[in-house]
Amino acid sequence: ARPKGLGGGRPDKSSKTKALMFNPLEIPADAQMINGSGKPTNIFVQNNMGSKFILLNRPSALNALDLGMIHDLYDTYVECDGDESCGLLVLYGAGSSFCAGGDVARLAKMGPQPMGKGAPQMDFFLNEYRLNHHIGTLKRQTQVSVLWGFVMGGGAGLSMHGQKRIVTDNTKFAMPETALGLFPDIGSSYFLTKLCKARPGLAMYLALTGRRITGTEMYNNGLASNYVSMGQFPGLFERLLTIDNYTEQRVTDILLEFSEYPPREQDLLTSQRGAIERCFTKDSLPAIREALKAESTGEHAAWAKESIALLDKASPTSLAVSFELFHRAAAKDFSLEKSLITDARVARRFMAGGEFFEGVRAMLLDKDRNPKWAPTPTPEQVAAYFEPLPAGEKELVLPARS
């Protein structure tokens, strides 16, 4: 008997450990398309009757986002808004990954930018956050994000704000920003807090440690809507290409036809829920560390020691700012708009110098993996990251969405 509420399907088990090479659009890897302005783009859109299949096509960089890709994605969403027949958006990545984040190395190479004179990096962040907001406020369309391979940072921003998030055998999700001297942005303080409402410690844990979790762990902890085996994707894509009724309920029913229960052996996180909530719901970073030390001699000793090691590798400034951000996200009036406006203020101050540039140098450019972090900031220094921006800087302005 198939699992209750799931299609059960007939997955091709032989393809479970292989990188997904199925490509419904059949375009060459890293082929540069031409957008509506006649410029090269790494976003390819197949327009169908009632749907758009959107491919992130930069597989040599694990589909990391650059500013051109963000502009082309936003234009695609706006175009869909103006098309009454467009009811479904299917977002996926070329090659073996969905999207490993934003191209932060390119941003770091622009160098620190003192406050008061603007920063070129903010063109990327402000447009990315505008795109995140658009996805998070879709009304008529249903977005289906196919999360195979790496889903990190900016890739989470593209997918986690949407309605349907499909994970699979090789999904690897993380918000790794604190190890790069940054913070979990793209509205993650909103979507993680919302999706982990019953487990607030989990949201804080993922934000601070940057731990990678599997598709099974995402599904079992409320971060994914469906689990689909790799071997089922050709049939699922074909089905989504050929239906003529794109209501959210119809899309939901089709996804269930191809969904199944994920493999239990890929889930360590669920067994650690109790320890995560005991440790990561504390009211300060020192209290979290003390709680982890207390767990390090018990049943969850290995997990506690791993968590301490992840915190030790992260920037103290990033940890302090991220803790404050997610603490604020627990407020009842915290919205997607407030999350993204806050992200823009915090991101601008990280672009002023220090941790972000050192983190990217150590982890992505020189790759010595030995960043020289600044000391832990004072509470007053942390609070300053959240203040309105001074004259000469652009605040994030989000368009009204009816």
Side-chain angles (χ1 to χ4, degrees), residues 122-364:
M122 293 310 294
D123 285 343
F124 177 89
F125 287 114
L126 294 178
N127 282 283
E128 182 182 30
Y129 300 161
R130 180 182 66 163
L131 175 60
N132 299 149
H133 178 256
H134 197 103
I135 294 171
T137 53
L138 289 174
K139 296 289 191 277
R140 187 167 41 80
Q141 305 87 4
T142 300
Q143 175 168 304
V144 175
S145 301
V146 181
L147 306 182
W148 55 58
F150 288 107
V151 185
M152 297 182 178
L158 293 181
S159 55
M160 299 301 290
H161 293 295
Q163 301 98 321
K164 304 297 181 183
R165 303 168 302 280
I166 304 175
V167 293
T168 189
D169 316 325
N170 70 348
T171 303
K172 301 177 186 70
F173 173 91
M175 296 298 297
E177 287 81 3
T178 59
L180 291 174
L182 200 56
F183 71 104
D185 62 336
I186 46 88
S188 64
S189 57
Y190 175 75
F191 70 69
L192 281 177
T193 300
K194 181 178 71 171
L195 295 173
C196 300
K197 188 174 182 179
R199 295 179 291 277
L202 179 59
M204 185 69 79
Y205 169 66
L206 294 174
L208 296 182
T209 67
R211 172 180 162 177
R212 290 184 188 178
I213 61 174
T214 67
T216 298
E217 290 170 326
M218 289 183 70
Y219 179 80
N220 288 344
N221 288 277
L223 300 177
S225 61
N226 300 81
Y227 185 97
V228 174
S229 175
M230 290 285 251
Q232 291 285 68
F233 280 113
L236 174 58
F237 272 76
E238 181 178 0
R239 193 88 163 82
L240 290 173
L241 278 166
T242 56
I243 62 174
D244 57 5
N245 177 1
Y246 287 107
T247 64
E248 184 171 352
Q249 185 58 56
R250 183 65 175 134
V251 173
T252 297
D253 292 342
I254 289 173
L255 294 183
L256 286 175
E257 290 178 23
F258 291 85
S259 297
E260 59 185 284
Y261 289 129
R264 293 180 181 178
E265 64 271 15
Q266 292 186 7
D267 188 356
L268 296 176
L269 188 68
T270 301
S271 67
Q272 298 159 351
R273 281 179 183 172
I276 289 171
E277 296 307 312
R278 286 193 294 274
C279 295
F280 284 86
T281 52
K282 300 300 183 184
D283 60 4
S284 70
L285 283 168
I288 288 175
R289 286 184 175 273
E290 285 301 315
L292 287 169
K293 288 178 183 178
E295 295 283 348
S296 64
T297 57
E299 176 186 357
H300 299 288
W303 167 82
K305 292 174 182 178
E306 175 194 55
S307 299
I308 291 171
L310 289 170
L311 294 177
D312 287 344
K313 290 178 182 178
S315 155
T317 299
S318 295
L319 290 176
V321 171
S322 300
F323 179 87
E324 176 64 19
L325 174 61
F326 276 72
H327 181 73
R328 293 181 180 214
K332 289 183 178 180
D333 64 344
F334 197 77
S335 62
L336 173 59
E337 292 78 6
K338 186 172 289 189
S339 173
L340 292 168
I341 290 170
T342 301
D343 285 351
R345 292 172 177 173
V346 175
R348 175 60 188 97
R349 290 183 166 96
F350 270 97
M351 293 305 105
E355 303 297 85
F356 171 65
F357 300 92
E358 174 60 11
V360 173
R361 179 206 66 76
M363 304 305 292
L364 300 179

